[in-house]
Amino acid sequence: MHLIPLSAELRSVAVLRAGYVVAASSLVVEKDVDPETTLLTYLRRKLGLCGTKLGCGEGGCGACTVMISKYDPFQKKILHHTANACLFPICALHHVAVTTVEGIGNTKSRLHPAQERIAKSHGSQCGFCTPGIVMSMYTLLRNKPKPKMEDIEDAFQGNLCRCTGYRPILEGYRTFAVDSNCCGKAANGTGCCHSKGENSMNGGCCGGKANGPGCCMNEKENVTMMSSSLFDSSEFQPLDPTQEPIFPPELMTQRNKEQKQVCFKGERVMWIQPTTLQELVALKSQYPNAKLVVGNTEVGIEMRLKNMLYPVILAPAWIPEMNAVQQTETGITFGAACTLSSVEEVLRKAVAELPSYKTEIFQAALEQLRWFAGPQIRNVAALGGNIMTASPISDLNPVLMASGSKLTLISMEGKRTVMMDEKFFTGYRKTIVKPEEVLLSVEIPYSKEGEYFSAFKQAYRREDDIAIVTCGMRVLFQHGTSRVQEVKLSYGGMAPTTILALKTCRELAGRDWNEKLLQDACRLLAGEMDLSPSAPGGMVEFRRTLTLSFFFKFYLTVLQKLSKDQNGPNNLCEPVPPNYISATELFHKDPIASTQLFQEVPRGQLVEDTVGQPLVHLSAAKQACGEAVYCDDIPHYENELYLTLVTSTQAHAKILSIDASEAQSVPGFVCFVSAKDVPGSNITGIANDETVFAEDVVTCVGHIIGAVIADTQEHSRRAAKAVKIKYEELKPIVTIQEAIEQQSFIKPIKRIKKGDVNKGFEESDHILEGEMHIGGQEHFYLETHCTLAVPKGEDGEMELFVSTQNLMKTQEFTASALGVPSNRIVVRVKRMGGGFGGKETRNTILTTVVAVAAFKTGRPVRCMLDRDEDMLISGGRHPFLGRYKVGFMKNGKIKSLEVSYYSNGGNSADLSHGVMDRALLHLDNSYNIPNVSSMGFICKTNLSSNTAFRGFGGPQGMMIAECWMSDLARKCGLPPEEVRKINLYHEGDLTHFNQKLEGFTLRRCWDECLSSSNYHARKKLIEEFNKQNRWKKRGMCVIPTKFGISFTVPFLNQAGALVHVYTDGSVLLTHGGTEMGQGLHTKMIQVASRSLGIPTSKIYISETSTNTVPNTSPTAASVSADINGMAVHNACQTILKRLEPIKQSNLKGSWEDWIKTAYENCISLSATGFYRIPDVGYNFETNKGKPFHYFSYGVACSEVEIDCLTGDHKNIRTDIVMDVGTSLNPAIDIGQIEGAFVQGIGLFTMEELRYSPEGNLYTRGPGMYKIPAFGDIPTEFYVSLLRDCPNSKAIYSSKAVGEPPLFLSASVFYAIKDAIYSAREDSGVTEPFRLDSPATPERIRNACVDTFTKMCPSAEPGTFKPWSVRA
């Protein structure tokens, strides 16, 4: 075995040993390579290239995307493709070039067009996902300099973003597209085709000149100019493919050299890369248990997340026979190491060139590959790996099994060919392949004449998701007839292996393809594809129903093809009923269309005054180049240590013993810290009901018991896994239902009462009762919790770099744990990669532990949580249960409401009281309810404490209001939009908490939304569509929102600012708010720029810190721009007042002149500013006071289409009209509206946290937990900011915008419910039904009752132990 140094080309700004910077590329020769090291770790730690980010560590978010380039000796060309650096083994980089985001452009010289366009089109908010998205786009442009819009959308299937709502990213990158479905005139600027026609959302505009001169909107006198152009694409630099860096000549010279076997040995793993098939077979005989790895997309995850260890890894990627593709007489043979992307390419070519009857199987395989993971995974994952992993939910194995694909195996004893049939998989993740055998190739056969094939898959999310159920179905007819000769139905997700429905297949042979066969097949399948009610994965009725739904789709598809192929006079098939045809259509999504409308700044506003202008986020360019520094990007200190948490595996138990002795033998181990190491108080938490480390009892899975400190992250992880803890189990409370039964509540119980509820019920024509459950939500900020603690060595001083929204509590809790006063602790925050409320208090559970470790060791200590740890430990949005009784009149007018809210608070109070307060204060949404009686209970359970999340209880409170509102409209038999409208508040009305509504613009938003969305005309079209389609249904709904602005804890409504002016005239600004992507720093600089009358270029914000502005309120409750803006303004006014005499004496002077003079006259050029919101405060006991400073309003109208057979839905169109006052920055505000809306789509239709009955969280990463992806946003997405609605209560007449729009996505949920009603009516079911949130495919399918659902009845609750429970 030759031990050769690994040489890879890393194309980035890398500092070589000689100390000079090479901008283009550098050849990296690495001698000591550990096979367990990933490319991401290597880039960040070894080369200091921190542009590539860690988002999930499992290839599910795309934050770590890089471009891999290599010369392919088989295709004789250079290939570029994207890959996930978090999974890519550094050993696989031998003779490969890697391009990271730093290597394509930077802010010092020039940005690459892929970087410039995402920045200038406002497609980067927190910026943590931006480098990965830039690299996906860059790689696409390297392969296709003139892509189609569809190529662009496909390129992003493996990238997630939690901030933007995706629309601005697609809009910016659309400018690269050749088709772009647009005239290309200034990319939706003036005169663009996208700004015309009935779809445009120009707030009732004729669309004639897209609000340019001569537009109806400008004909009225003094009318405000509206603009739909957030960026000007004519400013973009063109893409010049000739300017891209060339493939490294050093690596090209390697191509003619004979490859030699390579071996790398690490601490625990040996990696061998053979070059011939003989070497590989010999090695597999020597190491029969060795894993073969091509893309590392499965083994990498098993080793990191499932704690598996494979001491020997064989990498067959260089072996010619394993990469060969051959067309034979019977099919196409692929080498087992062929990547899925290359398989896709070959099959696509075959489908284009061969007669269609021969490619039925290829077309089905392509349909499965289209939704198989993301491009970053498909580019590296091998076909053979997919088969040998033997996953029961593999997308491809059912296709290979049903088609009778042949596998060639090889060992020292020779070759053998096996069929991929029912005998191939012998058990969960086991096959008939012997340990010493290697899968050499796979033959996918051609289909024959009279043979038809389909494949189906249903997942939580269409893009980049694992299947719930997947299948391959093949039928062969006797020549020229519709009589079945052979049928094969293969399913994944219905057993521990991929299975064939053998009994059903046998029974159907020899039968005619007709209605009778369909009925028998469904009956047989329902019997054969049975699942235990406790089956792993849950969703038992849904999965069983899918097996029938898929067969029905297959039946119709084949029927359609038969009647087309046998269109002679003696065609024996029944025709497919016209209203059934849509059930056979494959998923198709049109490219997005969108318009954003906002009010232009008044004529005459000074050029340097950017308030009201769509100014680009000030960090966007840095974020797009990977230069923006996040907490874990801070360079490592000389003697820094790494910490990994040790957490409870039980939801409720006594700790009997903790044994860290085994951990001490791990290399690099330094120490273990636990409760006894806390120098100050171990008591912590907002309500002092938590501990830094658990002492005697653990109260949730993920409860922090201790932490291991070691020299590297890898060593600390390994040592943490070696800590042994013994427990005595206690019975946990997991669900709201269990807490109610055991009366486990966190007191006090809050109430709001108004009027006489009983009298209201007596006067009502109808009374409705019901309940609704709303699931929780994981924040899924792309940057997980991170802390770096640096002890200063004297007087207990410590500096903390933290990803937090709440510096004050972080400082206070750390000081308390260390037993020092707060003045010894400095907390610094540059920016966060997203927060959404998840970093308002829960970061402190990590920060205090890291601080204790740094105190104990006296050395800097760093910890960034892995995604699975973060999701387990840090809690999320509170699940809610609402029970209501509502009284109303025949015309739909509400008289009386009695409602109880129950939230799942988790194991501590945290912010649960505030969340429940806001839920109760929003129980009316926007409706005037004369009589109200409400109660709010916080359930204490054994889950990680739930916490703040965008909306803070408001969305849950309003969701239950919309639930009874939609039931009520149905009961009255009236159109829901009419019932909603007659119940809306009017200007001057009192809410149920007795606050008078002033500046109530909601009715304006309502009318404008109905008109711009063409609501009534489209409603008729939907009714028509539903009449013509039995298995696809559309629905539409319009929903208002009213959101109260201010902290409900009165003393938090305060803010401070600090302004320093330096003698060169530059200004350093600091305020109490933190930047997490919401553009707060950008807005504050705009405010200071207007206040001081100087350009924004002269003002800079470096960071937020406790030693500049003390006692800051958390950046939360949407008020940060309001309160910090006023504080900044106040500080600037102080400076201006001091400068006034100097300005008067030199009116023609410049800003720099005045500052110089002031300094020379000993005038202070530093000032603090302060602001508090006046007159807020509310008393629940008396129902008096004013909880909110003002309200933000908005209305959304959404249309969806559901597939009644699978529960899939697509968001067709959304129109939003939002009142944000006079916008400080319309680009940022529209970005917030779209981002909140898409996050809400996740909350109400996709994201589901799943727990075991014992309280163990299953959904711990993007593999199991699905946030919306690029393809989930509405195809048509129109946002309009209400014009002429200044808000006198906030800085420069603006309004808060962070949280209010989130609830508008309930319009999607109720549009789905509307569509389900239509499906149920077709089945003859008209009674009301309960639909809980989120409306996942499972809930949608189960609600669309039909013959298939009736064949799969659910087991009686209580007769079995479910796999998962709803918290």
Side-chain angles (χ1 to χ4, degrees):
M1 259 179 230
H2 308 276
L3 285 156
I4 314 184
L6 167 80
S7 60
E9 185 77 9
L10 276 149
R11 196 191 298 287
S12 304
V13 183
V15 182
L16 292 186
R17 290 192 189 89
Y20 58 89
V21 174
V22 183
S25 65
S26 53
L27 187 73
V28 180
V29 178
E30 187 63 49
K31 297 266 190 303
D32 311 309
V33 175
D34 189 326
E36 291 187 74
T37 304
T38 62
L39 172 56
L40 181 66
T41 304
Y42 187 79
L43 288 171
R44 294 181 62 83
R45 304 262 175 79
K46 197 80 184 245
L47 301 181
L49 295 166
C50 293
T52 312
K53 306 295 182 208
L54 173 67
C56 69
E58 54 177 272
C61 73
C64 63
T65 304
V66 294
M67 183 173 86
I68 304 281
S69 309
K70 62 179 179 194
Y71 176 76
D72 184 330
F74 312 114
Q75 297 184 46
K76 307 250 183 300
K77 62 178 185 182
I78 294 161
L79 301 178
H80 305 291
H81 64 77
T82 51
N84 292 117
C86 72
L87 291 177
F88 207 89
I90 189 82
C91 293
L93 285 175
H94 198 40
H95 298 163
V96 165
V98 176
T99 308
T100 69
V101 70
E102 294 97 334
I104 67 170
N106 57 66
T107 56
K108 295 176 195 71
S109 53
R110 83 176 189 117
L111 274 70
H112 185 276
Q115 295 168 322
E116 180 198 36
R117 294 189 193 188
I118 195 170
K120 289 187 177 169
S121 63
H122 315 286
S124 181
Q125 288 185 17
C126 86
F128 204 79
C129 66
T130 308
I133 290 171
V134 164
M135 289 315 293
S136 285
M137 188 68 214
Y138 175 76
T139 310
L140 173 65
L141 292 171
R142 286 300 299 265
N143 289 322
K144 269 193 187 176
K146 293 185 172 173
K148 292 197 180 88
M149 196 58 206
E150 191 182 352
D151 298 326
I152 294 173
E153 291 187 13
D154 289 348
F156 295 135
Q157 278 185 358
N159 290 86
L160 295 176
C161 166
R162 194 54 152 167
C163 297
T164 61
Y166 301 108
R167 195 274 318 155
I169 300 171
L170 290 169
E171 209 62 68
Y173 283 154
R174 163 178 273 161
T175 57
F176 286 117
V178 280
D179 56 342
S180 82
N181 281 3
C182 170
C183 58
K185 285 185 194 155
N188 304 328
T190 313
C192 165
C193 65
H194 269 167
S195 311
K196 293 192 195 120
E198 58 170 351
N199 278 351
S200 108
M201 168 143 183
N202 295 354
C205 162
C206 60
K209 296 255 174 52
N211 307 318
C215 165
C216 65
M217 291 208 152
N218 304 322
E219 283 164 10
K220 307 159 202 156
E221 280 183 36
N222 302 329
V223 109
T224 333
M225 286 282 281
M226 293 294 279
S227 170
S228 63
S229 182
L230 287 171
F231 63 90
D232 180 1
S233 59
S234 63
E235 290 174 7
F236 293 163
Q237 52 175 342
L239 175 72
D240 182 357
T242 61
Q243 293 303 298
E244 301 298 358
I246 59 162
F247 185 71
E250 300 97 325
L251 298 185
M252 279 305 276
T253 57
Q254 303 287 341
R255 67 181 179 175
N256 301 322
K257 291 185 186 167
E258 194 189 330
Q259 298 275 24
K260 292 183 181 153
Q261 180 169 309
V262 186
C263 173
F264 303 111
K265 278 187 175 155
E267 280 176 10
R268 308 189 298 169
V269 177
M270 178 163 71
W271 171 289
I272 308 172
Q273 188 142 347
T275 55
T276 67
L277 190 56
Q278 289 71 25
E279 284 177 355
L280 175 67
V281 171
L283 285 164
K284 190 73 169 115
S285 164
Q286 190 183 344
Y287 304 107
N289 293 326
K291 277 278 184 186
L292 267 70
V293 166
V294 176
N296 202 39
T297 55
E298 182 70 28
V299 169
I301 289 173
E302 287 181 340
M303 288 179 73
R304 206 184 74 68
L305 297 177
K306 298 181 184 170
N307 216 1
M308 293 184 181
L309 180 62
Y310 301 112
V312 180
I313 283 177
L314 305 177
W318 287 353
I319 296 167
E321 295 89 332
M322 296 197 69
N323 288 281
V325 176
Q326 237 181 329
Q327 297 219 10
T328 64
E329 284 183 14
T330 49
I332 300 181
T333 303
F334 294 94
C338 287
T339 64
L340 297 174
S341 293
S342 63
V343 171
E344 200 174 0
E345 211 174 308
V346 172
L347 292 179
R348 196 163 279 138
K349 194 162 172 271
V351 168
E353 292 169 2
L354 295 170
S356 66
Y357 75 84
K358 281 185 92 163
T359 61
E360 282 273 321
I361 296 160
F362 301 167
Q363 288 174 50
L366 281 170
E367 184 58 25
Q368 294 298 72
L369 283 169
R370 179 180 166 198
W371 309 114
F372 192 113
Q376 293 93 321
I377 298 285
R378 291 198 296 271
N379 291 334
V380 298
L383 178 61
N386 186 63
I387 295 168
M388 295 306 296
T389 297
S391 164
I393 50 172
S394 157
D395 295 348
L396 281 183
N397 288 347
V399 175
L400 300 173
M401 191 182 271
S403 65
S405 294
K406 287 196 194 89
L407 311 180
T408 303
L409 307 173
I410 188 168
S411 67
M412 293 294 273
E413 284 155 27
K415 287 185 186 177
R416 67 177 179 132
T417 303
V418 297
M419 287 290 284
M420 190 135 160
D421 55 17
E422 67 279 4
K423 299 187 194 78
F424 182 73
F425 297 107
T426 55
Y428 179 65
R429 293 192 179 257
K430 291 193 177 76
T431 67
I432 57 171
V433 180
K434 295 173 194 156
E436 68 278 8
E437 285 183 313
V438 171
L439 172 60
L440 177 63
S441 63
V442 183
E443 184 191 63
I444 305 178
Y446 299 127
S447 47
K448 312 181 188 71
E449 287 198 68
E451 185 173 17
Y452 301 100
F453 200 100
S454 288
F456 301 102
K457 165 184 174 176
Q458 185 55 45
Y460 264 107
R461 179 178 73 203
R462 182 166 297 286
E463 288 175 19
D464 190 7
D465 194 1
I466 50 173
I468 296 167
V469 176
T470 170
C471 72
M473 298 183 167
R474 175 176 77 94
V475 62
L476 175 64
F477 291 102
Q478 293 170 13
H479 184 68
T481 70
S482 59
R483 181 155 294 171
V484 176
Q485 184 175 323
E486 187 186 30
V487 64
K488 284 264 192 293
L489 308 174
S490 174
Y491 287 101
M494 294 304 294
T497 62
T498 303
I499 50 168
L500 275 172
L502 291 168
K503 185 172 170 233
T504 308
C505 295
R506 273 198 306 272
E507 293 274 338
L508 299 184
R511 300 273 305 270
D512 282 330
W513 197 257
N514 56 23
E515 186 73 28
K516 182 80 178 77
L517 172 136
L518 171 66
Q519 287 168 3
D520 290 349
C522 288
R523 182 177 47 76
L524 289 161
L525 280 171
E528 193 171 358
M529 292 291 131
D530 200 8
L531 277 176
S532 145
S534 311
M539 302 186 277
V540 173
E541 304 86 85
F542 179 43
R543 284 154 70 189
R544 291 187 60 212
T545 308
L546 281 175
T547 59
L548 310 185
S549 294
F550 286 161
F551 182 78
F552 180 56
K553 279 179 173 264
F554 179 56
Y555 169 79
L556 292 175
T557 307
V558 170
L559 206 54
Q560 221 176 349
K561 288 178 179 173
L562 273 176
S563 51
K564 199 171 94 211
D565 295 348
Q566 306 181 358
N567 50 11
N570 45 4
N571 181 359
L572 305 167
C573 322
E574 311 163 3
V576 178
N579 63 336
Y580 278 29
I581 287 172
S582 59
T584 66
E585 288 164 8
L586 293 177
F587 181 85
H588 166 73
K589 187 172 185 284
D590 296 314
I592 64 152
S594 64
T595 315
Q596 303 77 44
L597 278 180
F598 58 94
Q599 190 165 330
E600 288 189 0
V601 297
R603 288 191 179 93
Q605 182 169 317
L606 295 173
V607 180
E608 58 265 28
D609 180 359
T610 57
V611 170
Q613 304 275 18
L615 189 67
V616 170
H617 192 296
L618 290 171
S619 295
K622 293 193 285 279
Q623 289 165 186
C625 297
E627 294 168 13
V629 178
Y630 298 84
C631 190
D632 192 46
D633 300 338
I634 294 168
H636 284 243
Y637 285 80
E638 183 90 3
N639 57 346
E640 187 180 298
L641 299 170
Y642 206 93
L643 176 144
T644 298
L645 298 172
V646 175
T647 61
S648 166
T649 55
Q650 301 293 326
H652 193 197
K654 286 182 184 158
I655 300 173
L656 300 178
S657 67
I658 302 171
D659 176 9
S661 55
E662 205 181 305
Q664 291 167 11
S665 60
V666 173
F669 173 89
V670 174
C671 66
F672 174 75
V673 292
S674 60
K676 63 180 188 305
D677 297 298
V678 178
S681 168
N682 195 36
I683 301 291
T684 186
I686 295 290
N688 291 319
D689 59 347
E690 300 181 56
T691 52
V692 177
F693 295 103
E695 288 192 77
D696 309 314
V697 178
V698 288
T699 53
C700 70
V701 177
H703 199 152
I704 298 170
I705 295 170
V708 168
I709 294 92
D711 60 345
T712 67
Q713 183 177 18
E714 287 67 35
H715 288 151
S716 72
R717 269 187 193 155
R718 262 162 61 189
K721 284 171 182 166
V723 175
K724 301 280 180 278
I725 297 164
K726 287 193 174 142
Y727 305 95
E728 179 191 316
E729 285 186 46
L730 303 169
K731 189 165 170 45
I733 296 172
V734 178
T735 66
I736 290 175
Q737 216 55 54
E738 289 166 0
I740 294 171
E741 282 160 20
Q742 303 196 26
Q743 293 290 295
S744 172
F745 300 125
I746 299 172
K747 303 281 191 300
I749 289 156
K750 294 281 176 69
R751 296 173 167 79
I752 298 181
K753 289 193 170 163
K754 180 189 174 185
D756 184 338
V757 176
N758 293 332
K759 188 160 176 276
F761 285 134
E762 284 162 19
E763 291 168 0
S764 301
D765 294 336
H766 300 290
I767 293 176
L768 261 181
E769 292 188 56
E771 65 175 50
M772 179 183 197
H773 183 275
I774 299 156
Q777 186 180 23
E778 159 61 31
H779 298 92
F780 214 95
Y781 25 67
L782 263 282
E783 176 204 32
T784 56
H785 283 291
C786 183
T787 294
L788 170 58
V790 185
K792 291 300 183 188
E794 51 180 276
D795 303 327
E797 271 192 68
M798 193 177 284
E799 189 171 27
L800 296 165
F801 298 92
V802 190
S803 185
T804 179
Q805 297 168 238
N806 194 340
L807 288 84
M808 181 186 173
K809 286 293 172 198
T810 302
Q811 177 189 36
E812 189 184 304
F813 290 1
T814 304
S816 158
L818 298 184
V820 298
S822 287
N823 63 5
R824 309 296 157 84
I825 308 292
V826 175
V827 180
R828 298 172 61 183
V829 180
K830 184 100 177 158
R831 61 171 61 79
M832 281 167 272
F836 313 116
K839 297 174 180 173
E840 187 177 337
T841 57
R842 301 317 288 167
N843 69 281
T844 59
I845 60 179
L846 176 66
T847 304
T848 46
V849 168
V850 175
V852 167
F855 181 88
K856 180 174 177 172
T857 58
R859 290 164 66 178
V861 176
R862 179 186 304 244
C863 177
M864 182 176 181
L865 293 182
D866 284 331
R867 177 65 59 187
D868 53 321
E869 294 175 295
D870 192 285
M871 289 183 74
L872 179 65
I873 292 165
S874 64
R877 189 186 294 279
H878 291 68
F880 260 66
L881 173 70
R883 293 179 172 163
Y884 56 82
K885 178 179 174 185
V886 59
F888 53 99
M889 308 308 286
K890 286 193 187 77
N891 66 352
K893 197 95 172 101
I894 305 161
K895 293 293 283 185
S896 202
L897 173 70
E898 198 170 74
V899 69
S900 298
Y901 287 169
Y902 300 87
S903 72
N904 193 328
N907 68 344
S908 73
D910 190 64
L911 300 170
S912 297
H913 286 297
V915 168
M916 183 55 80
D917 290 356
R918 192 168 274 274
L920 290 171
L921 292 166
H922 285 78
L923 64 81
D924 56 338
N925 187 2
S926 312
Y927 308 117
N928 194 342
I929 314 168
N931 307 292
V932 174
S933 170
S934 62
M935 292 172 83
F937 301 83
I938 300 160
C939 299
K940 186 169 189 178
T941 60
N942 296 112
L943 299 180
S944 293
S945 190
N946 283 315
T947 187
F949 194 149
R950 198 178 203 161
F952 204 73
Q956 294 99 310
M958 295 186 277
M959 190 66 174
I960 288 154
E962 290 302 340
C963 178
W964 51 253
M965 183 54 84
S966 62
D967 288 356
L968 176 163
R970 212 149 256 283
K971 177 79 178 162
C972 296
L974 294 168
E977 71 279 5
E978 284 178 23
V979 176
R980 284 188 168 92
K981 188 167 182 182
I982 63 164
N983 284 298
L984 287 180
Y985 283 115
H986 287 83
E987 174 76 27
D989 282 349
L990 287 182
T991 61
H992 64 290
F993 46 89
N994 291 317
Q995 182 165 343
K996 188 177 179 188
L997 295 175
E998 298 164 319
F1000 185 73
T1001 56
L1002 186 67
R1003 284 175 172 266
R1004 265 185 69 197
C1005 296
W1006 180 272
D1007 294 340
E1008 211 162 288
C1009 187
L1010 284 185
S1011 122
S1012 65
S1013 65
N1014 270 325
Y1015 181 84
H1016 296 291
R1018 280 170 54 215
K1019 199 172 167 184
K1020 287 197 179 78
L1021 293 173
I1022 288 170
E1023 282 165 15
E1024 201 46 48
F1025 177 90
N1026 289 346
K1027 275 189 201 134
Q1028 288 167 13
N1029 292 279
R1030 170 63 184 94
W1031 302 108
K1032 292 258 169 82
K1033 295 291 177 190
R1034 288 187 177 171
M1036 187 161 65
C1037 184
V1038 58
I1039 293 275
T1041 188
K1042 161 182 75 62
F1043 195 88
I1045 304 299
S1046 65
F1047 283 101
T1048 46
V1049 177
F1051 63 76
L1052 291 177
N1053 295 298
Q1054 59 172 301
L1058 176 64
V1059 174
H1060 293 319
V1061 186
Y1062 295 97
T1063 52
D1064 64 352
S1066 66
V1067 175
L1068 182 66
L1069 175 61
T1070 316
H1071 58 89
T1074 54
E1075 175 61 58
M1076 55 189 125
Q1078 83 284 40
L1080 181 62
H1081 284 353
T1082 306
K1083 283 182 171 179
M1084 292 307 94
I1085 286 177
Q1086 286 176 283
V1087 166
S1089 157
R1090 173 179 276 189
S1091 300
L1092 295 171
I1094 59 174
T1096 52
S1097 55
K1098 287 192 182 2
I1099 307 168
Y1100 185 68
I1101 296 180
S1102 168
E1103 62 177 9
T1104 312
S1105 59
T1106 52
N1107 58 354
T1108 49
V1109 179
N1111 314 324
T1112 57
S1113 293
T1115 306
S1118 306
V1119 298
S1120 302
D1122 289 9
I1123 58 177
N1124 290 293
M1126 289 299 247
V1128 166
H1129 181 66
N1130 175 272
C1132 292
Q1133 291 308 311
T1134 305
I1135 299 268
L1136 287 177
K1137 210 167 179 180
R1138 294 177 194 160
L1139 291 177
E1140 192 53 39
I1142 293 168
K1143 283 166 103 172
Q1144 288 307 323
S1145 62
N1146 179 7
L1147 288 170
K1148 292 218 168 115
S1150 66
W1151 168 257
E1152 285 76 4
D1153 296 338
W1154 300 332
I1155 295 304
K1156 190 164 174 287
T1157 310
Y1159 171 70
E1160 286 163 358
N1161 286 324
C1162 303
I1163 289 170
S1164 166
L1165 291 171
S1166 173
T1168 59
F1170 185 78
Y1171 175 73
R1172 69 182 180 90
I1173 296 180
D1175 315 321
V1176 285
Y1178 170 77
N1179 184 325
F1180 273 89
E1181 303 298 312
T1182 59
N1183 195 12
K1184 285 200 174 104
K1186 185 178 160 191
F1188 303 118
H1189 191 38
Y1190 63 87
F1191 296 90
S1192 281
Y1193 304 102
V1195 175
C1197 170
S1198 293
E1199 180 184 349
V1200 301
E1201 180 178 299
I1202 64 169
D1203 182 329
C1204 311
L1205 291 168
T1206 62
D1208 228 6
H1209 89 273
K1210 64 177 175 182
N1211 300 316
I1212 295 176
R1213 174 173 168 172
T1214 290
D1215 297 73
I1216 296 174
V1217 178
M1218 196 81 202
D1219 165 18
V1220 296
T1222 303
S1223 173
L1224 290 175
N1225 183 325
I1228 284 175
D1229 288 350
I1230 287 169
Q1232 287 294 294
I1233 292 165
E1234 292 168 337
F1237 184 84
V1238 172
Q1239 210 167 41
I1241 286 179
L1243 168 64
F1244 294 134
T1245 70
M1246 296 172 76
E1247 298 176 39
E1248 192 161 33
L1249 291 164
R1250 309 185 73 197
Y1251 295 90
S1252 74
E1254 295 75 37
N1256 200 1
L1257 179 68
Y1258 291 128
T1259 42
R1260 294 192 195 180
M1264 284 277 285
Y1265 185 81
K1266 296 298 162 184
I1267 70 168
F1270 276 85
D1272 296 306
I1273 66 171
T1275 307
E1276 294 179 57
F1277 202 175
Y1278 305 116
V1279 176
S1280 174
L1281 302 183
L1282 193 70
R1283 56 187 179 278
D1284 300 328
C1285 52
N1287 170 34
S1288 59
K1289 305 204 167 165
I1291 182 83
Y1292 297 137
S1293 308
S1294 63
K1295 262 191 181 184
V1297 72
E1299 296 170 290
L1302 183 129
F1303 179 67
L1304 293 176
S1305 48
S1307 59
V1308 172
F1309 179 92
Y1310 288 103
I1312 289 171
K1313 196 168 181 181
D1314 183 40
I1316 296 173
Y1317 267 115
S1318 175
R1320 289 166 69 92
E1321 279 160 18
D1322 283 3
S1323 297
V1325 183
T1326 50
E1327 71 264 16
F1329 69 100
R1330 174 174 168 177
L1331 182 66
D1332 287 330
S1333 170
T1336 55
E1338 177 192 13
R1339 290 208 176 90
I1340 296 172
R1341 177 64 189 102
N1342 291 348
C1344 293
V1345 287
D1346 53 34
T1347 45
F1348 306 118
T1349 54
K1350 287 173 190 156
M1351 293 169 99
C1352 306
S1354 42
E1356 275 299 307
T1359 60
F1360 65 95
K1361 183 182 171 185
W1363 178 76
S1364 72
V1365 293
R1366 191 167 64 178

